Amino acid sequence: MSNSRRQYRDGVVYLPNDNSPYTGEYTSYYKNGQIKVSGHYKRGLKNGIWEAFNENGQLYASQGFKNNLKDGIFLLKDVDATILAKGLYENDIAIGEWTLRPWKEFNIYDCIDDFDCTGIHSPGPWRKSLGKPLYCS
């Protein structure tokens, strides 16, 4: 499925003219043909690992999902492949120990459609409270 074929109904993804929520792979592409985002929908909700790539095909973000909630490993890399953030989510909440590296300017790629980049638009320092989402102060 591509971005142009997706339809959202009450937060659930469907194919046009289909009454059943979509189950299957999703891929969006840059104009140069490189993969932009790839992931999987199950019953219309993000499930499994979703990955985002730059226009050269380099992976820069990866996030696990379970029924549209962040669940599992989150990884964010800078343009030079330096890990900026790495940690675990459970039911949309950051848990456990995180690797969080502040950066002086937002030099990773623009947050793109289909990939949840909540909280990464601003420079650090990063803060985390147990049981609460990450935020940037």
Side-chain angles (χ1 to χ4, degrees):
M1 173 200 291
S2 67
N3 197 33
S4 62
R5 297 188 61 213
R6 265 189 322 190
Q7 291 183 347
Y8 286 95
R9 300 180 209 155
D10 297 321
V12 177
V13 173
Y14 293 82
L15 288 175
N17 304 316
D18 195 340
N19 291 327
S20 298
Y22 177 71
T23 294
E25 298 302 315
Y26 170 81
T27 307
S28 65
Y29 297 90
Y30 289 103
K31 289 180 182 179
N32 68 5
Q34 289 284 353
I35 294 174
K36 189 175 185 180
V37 174
S38 67
H40 183 82
Y41 286 105
K42 184 176 179 182
R43 293 186 298 275
L45 304 175
K46 288 180 181 180
N47 276 279
I49 301 295
W50 280 66
E51 298 178 319
F53 302 86
N54 69 16
E55 289 187 66
N56 296 322
Q58 179 184 21
L59 176 72
Y60 76 87
S62 178
Q63 173 68 67
F65 285 91
K66 185 175 181 181
N67 297 323
N68 256 15
L69 299 177
K70 290 178 251 180
D71 199 89
I73 294 174
F74 171 78
L75 179 66
L76 176 67
K77 296 180 182 181
D78 200 344
V79 292
D80 65 359
T82 300
I83 294 175
L84 297 175
K86 181 179 179 183
L88 289 173
Y89 277 98
E90 187 175 289
N91 294 318
D92 236 13
I93 296 172
I95 61 169
E97 294 292 322
W98 277 68
T99 300
L100 300 169
R101 181 180 176 151
W103 57 95
K104 293 182 181 176
E105 59 186 62
F106 186 72
N107 60 348
I108 62 167
Y109 316 98
D110 291 338
C111 192
I112 52 180
D113 58 338
D114 312 313
F115 200 79
D116 186 356
C117 297
T118 304
I120 67 168
H121 291 286
S122 302
W126 286 88
R127 301 284 183 258
K128 181 178 95 56
S129 298
L130 288 177
K132 295 183 180 178
L134 291 172
Y135 66 94
C136 193
S137 58

